[in-house]
Amino acid sequence: MYEIRFHGRGGQGGKMAAEAYALAAFLEGNYAVSFPFFGAERRGAPVKAFTRVDDKKIRIKTQVYEPDYVVVLDETLIETQDVLEGLKKDGTVIINTQRKPEEVRLSKPVKCATVDATGIALEVLGRPITNTAILGALARATGRVKIESVEQAIMEKFGARLGRESGEKNARAARMAYEQTLVGTSQGGKEFVPRPQWLPDVHEMPIGGAIGTMKTEAGLIGIGSFVENKTGDWRTFIPAIDKEKCIGCRFCWFYCPEGCISMVEGKAEVNYDYCKGCGICAHECPAKAIEMTREVKA
Amino acid sequence: MNIKDLSDEILFTPGHTACAGCGAPPIVRNIMKIFGKDTIIYTPANCLLVFGGTYPYLAWKVPYFHEAFENTGACISGVARALRKQGKKTLVVGIAGDGGTYDIGIQALSGAAERNEDVIYICYDNEAYMNTGIQRSGSTPYGAATTTTPAGTKIPGKLDHKKDMAEIMRAHEVPYVATMSIAHQRDFLEKAKKARDVEGFRYLHIISPCPTGWRFDPSLTIEMSRKAVDSGMWTLFEAEYGEITNIYKPKKKIPVKEYLMGQGRFRHFTPEMVEELQRWVDHKWKRIYGEEP
């Protein structure tokens, strides 16, 4: 049996990727199961999904804690969490990034495959949905399933839901990724400090759980404490405001879902710590002073 | 009132976890600029509850409570009465989604309206149970595909039309009922201000396009609000004690088809289905505006 863990963000299709991979393995005569793990996450929040493949019936139903392969659909995730956690000794990590495997820094050096799945998805699908492209990279890096099976699984899974044409496009994205995947070894040595949690004992717990604003070891909690939750790494596209063109109308300031645009000396300014890159500001700007471009992540 | 008159103070902070392009955060952030700090917020289960706070973290900067799905109307009634007894004028606001208003919360809401409690009830309407993964509600428009009304070969999405909740609330003859859209800034702000200043039961009903559930590009959220109004799918009016006192009429009515295009939930529409929805819109148009569309 081998196990795969997918790390993605809600809406990127990690769950569909896990399912489509299971179907590809099944088409080759294996037993396969897949399931997602999520709580109340919105689109953009980190989520996980799992696939297990075996040549006999699979009885184990738990999450995957010691994967053979780890798939990362969004490279910003490798900055904030140790995606290698529990990875088996000879395991492989497959990452959606524009970087080469040797340029990726993780907690330890491991076999690493990289592909610009976002670039491929934008080119083939016109949308930054990377779940099908990454499957091509997974097939290439592991050699566990044939790319033809992956294509067939995508056609069946996505074709049934989104129509034949869309199924074919997604299969093409997987094939392109298969051909462009680079396999090598990552750098190691990156340290991760787990985010401390606020865990009060029974005496510290306020009555009814009601809290005002409180400074704790886990940071700010209570009223207004979400300001410490930086959502900027959710985005794929980034707005740039042309100060010359900005007429100070405040439309973007009014409409921004994050409330992360402020007016400085009569001109709009974005706080990128929070901007999720939705593009409403650019679409609503009457002066066409805002441009959205794909963000190049360092 | 104009957006330039709004303060810079933010009472619903960034860092919340709504989907990119969500229609609800700009609604609550801007409405809170009008309501001000002396406000108490109640929310039942809805997206706003989840993305506005994950205990112990919270985006609200005013007192905030989470109550059960069905009792928003009852909770805000009790809190408002207790505060008035203490001589406090604090605004008590319940914010529910369409599921918590049209379906699950309607009895407590109707009761609070009947008793003319001194509260504001806001329904932010994204036309399905988005929080649990896009299930149809009483607000879901005809033909829309949701996970419980999928567009298949036999049944093409939801078979029933959207319930007219604002009209139900108007029939309660409460002091103030208004329907709103964030794309219509001045109208939006004036209504929020009026709701703040009126005494007694106030009901605000705001369209909140959902890129995830309606399946459109997140940059088009405001555009969707605008097109909903221009097509007549969403009508903007104010009513006082049951009488309509103000109607916003779009300058140019667009065919409902223009609103449907670009939304994945209507992708499967046949010309007959477009016609059926247009018929519903035209009927509503005539009722509200008193003239043929």
Side-chain angles (χ1 to χ4, degrees):
Chain A
M1 180 169 70
Y2 66 96
E3 300 174 310
I4 310 172
R5 185 173 66 213
F6 293 80
H7 292 267
R9 291 185 180 277
Q12 284 175 337
K15 171 174 165 274
M16 283 288 273
E19 283 177 11
Y21 186 86
L23 180 58
F26 171 77
L27 290 171
E28 295 189 355
N30 296 295
Y31 289 92
V33 292
S34 83
F35 55 98
F37 176 84
F38 50 79
E41 279 83 3
R42 305 295 100 177
R43 221 176 227 208
V47 290
K48 284 186 272 190
F50 311 102
T51 301
R52 276 195 184 93
V53 179
D54 205 347
D55 53 11
K56 50 186 184 294
K57 281 191 179 173
I58 299 165
R59 301 288 185 195
I60 185 166
K61 302 289 180 207
T62 67
Q63 291 183 52
V64 170
Y65 296 101
E66 294 182 341
D68 296 87
Y69 307 108
V70 168
V71 179
V72 183
L73 280 94
D74 186 320
E75 71 171 315
T76 59
L77 295 170
I78 65 177
E79 305 299 334
T80 50
Q81 54 182 297
D82 186 5
V83 294
L84 302 185
E85 195 184 356
L87 182 69
K88 290 213 181 82
K89 199 160 157 280
D90 300 318
T92 304
V93 58
I94 295 102
I95 304 174
N96 166 23
T97 174
Q98 291 172 299
R99 288 180 277 182
K100 294 192 184 87
E102 290 70 27
E103 294 166 356
V104 174
R105 198 155 163 262
L106 300 168
S107 59
K108 57 189 175 206
V110 288
K111 193 176 164 198
C112 176
T114 62
V115 67
D116 181 15
T118 307
I120 292 170
L122 286 172
E123 187 187 328
V124 181
L125 311 172
R127 276 153 40 108
I129 308 290
T130 55
N131 56 352
T132 45
I134 202 81
L135 288 180
L138 180 59
R140 174 63 178 272
T142 66
R144 290 278 197 173
V145 291
K146 291 201 270 304
I147 181 67
E148 289 76 18
S149 307
V150 169
E151 286 174 323
Q152 194 188 337
I154 288 172
M155 297 276 280
E156 280 187 27
K157 193 112 205 119
F158 290 76
R161 199 166 135 181
L162 305 167
R164 191 185 157 75
E165 196 193 343
S166 187
E168 282 170 2
K169 273 189 185 173
N170 278 286
R172 195 157 76 240
R175 170 70 77 164
M176 273 176 74
Y178 180 80
E179 284 160 3
Q180 293 175 18
T181 300
L182 303 172
V183 182
T185 307
S186 74
Q187 295 175 36
K190 191 172 169 72
E191 279 180 39
F192 292 92
V193 183
R195 189 181 170 181
Q197 279 185 301
W198 180 61
L199 296 167
D201 69 21
V202 67
H203 303 292
E204 293 162 340
M205 192 69 194
I207 293 168
I211 39 178
T213 308
M214 262 162 58
K215 193 89 199 155
T216 69
E217 281 175 18
L220 209 58
I221 61 164
I223 304 284
S225 57
F226 246 166
V227 286
E228 291 194 348
N229 184 38
K230 305 291 166 69
T231 50
D233 57 3
W234 292 25
R235 68 176 171 262
T236 307
F237 298 98
I238 185 164
I241 299 179
D242 184 341
K243 290 268 168 91
E244 297 285 304
K245 285 192 192 163
C246 176
I247 53 172
C249 68
R250 289 182 173 247
F251 280 24
C252 54
W253 171 86
F254 184 71
Y255 289 133
C256 174
E258 310 318 316
C260 68
I261 296 179
S262 51
M263 302 304 293
V264 181
E265 289 166 2
K267 306 274 183 182
E269 220 171 86
V270 181
N271 183 341
Y272 295 108
D273 281 353
Y274 302 106
C275 170
K276 292 174 189 158
C278 67
I280 288 178
C281 53
H283 188 80
E284 295 301 323
C285 179
K288 301 265 168 280
I290 308 178
E291 205 185 339
M292 301 297 295
T293 49
R294 186 178 164 201
E295 187 174 21
V296 182
K297 283 167 180 153
Chain B
M1 180 145 197
N2 189 300
I3 60 172
K4 295 201 170 156
D5 305 324
L6 280 181
S7 95
D8 281 318
E9 190 182 27
I10 286 181
L11 296 173
F12 186 84
T13 70
H16 65 73
T17 55
C19 303
C22 179
I27 291 172
V28 294
R29 183 181 74 248
N30 288 308
I31 224 162
M32 284 308 291
K33 288 184 181 188
I34 307 264
F35 289 177
K37 266 193 145 158
D38 194 13
T39 301
I40 290 178
I41 301 287
Y42 268 76
T43 59
N46 56 43
C47 276
L48 176 64
L49 165 86
V50 177
F51 73 68
T54 319
Y55 194 83
Y57 307 106
L58 194 66
W60 295 94
K61 291 185 94 170
V62 295
Y64 166 84
F65 298 83
H66 167 211
E67 24 79 14
F69 220 148
E70 63 276 41
N71 59 11
T72 311
C75 285
I76 53 179
S77 300
V79 171
R81 287 215 186 179
L83 287 166
R84 300 300 172 261
K85 199 81 186 163
Q86 294 170 24
K88 289 179 185 159
K89 297 298 285 172
T90 307
L91 267 189
V92 181
V93 181
I95 308 182
D98 49 287
T101 303
Y102 284 70
D103 307 339
I104 297 174
I106 193 170
Q107 38 75 21
L109 166 61
S110 178
E114 180 210 338
R115 297 187 304 270
N116 193 23
E117 302 287 351
D118 190 18
V119 296
I120 300 177
Y121 186 105
I122 298 174
C123 170
Y124 83 97
D125 189 348
N126 52 29
E127 303 190 329
Y129 289 83
M130 299 310 182
N131 187 30
T132 45
I134 321 167
Q135 291 82 25
R136 66 86 94 181
S137 76
S139 167
T140 307
Y142 165 80
T146 68
T147 50
T148 44
T149 58
T153 46
K154 294 229 165 57
I155 301 176
K158 192 190 175 195
L159 296 174
D160 321 285
H161 280 287
K162 183 183 172 92
K163 182 158 82 180
D164 200 335
M165 192 66 207
E167 281 291 90
I168 294 171
M169 293 316 294
R170 183 163 79 89
H172 284 71
E173 301 188 352
V174 290
Y176 191 60
V177 170
T179 54
M180 298 152 73
S181 140
I182 185 110
H184 300 74
Q185 303 164 354
R186 190 181 292 259
D187 185 79
F188 178 93
L189 297 174
E190 292 291 350
K191 286 170 177 171
K193 196 159 147 248
K194 193 151 182 185
R196 179 194 67 193
D197 298 338
V198 168
E199 253 183 67
F201 193 89
R202 293 144 277 173
Y203 177 81
L204 303 180
H205 196 146
I206 311 170
I207 185 172
S208 177
C210 172
T212 306
W214 299 10
R215 286 186 267 143
F216 62 82
D217 188 272
S219 66
L220 302 177
T221 302
I222 309 301
E223 179 86 22
M224 287 299 163
S225 293
R226 199 175 291 125
K227 280 190 172 160
V229 173
D230 287 348
S231 64
M233 282 290 284
W234 192 261
T235 29
L236 297 177
F237 69 83
E238 282 177 291
E240 291 170 43
Y241 299 97
E243 296 296 327
I244 289 189
T245 51
N246 179 26
I247 294 174
Y248 173 89
K249 196 174 164 193
K251 285 183 195 80
K252 188 175 174 291
K253 184 173 184 275
I254 61 169
V256 75
K257 196 173 175 208
E258 277 185 42
Y259 171 66
L260 306 181
M261 282 190 315
Q263 290 184 44
R265 60 176 178 158
F266 298 122
R267 191 184 289 141
H268 57 284
F269 261 45
T270 60
E272 291 74 38
M273 292 179 76
V274 175
E275 208 173 296
E276 170 57 24
L277 200 50
Q278 186 70 59
R279 188 198 59 74
W280 179 83
V281 164
D282 290 349
H283 178 76
K284 182 174 160 180
W285 186 281
K286 199 177 164 193
R287 179 162 55 78
I288 303 261
Y289 297 116
E291 57 180 70
E292 292 295 334

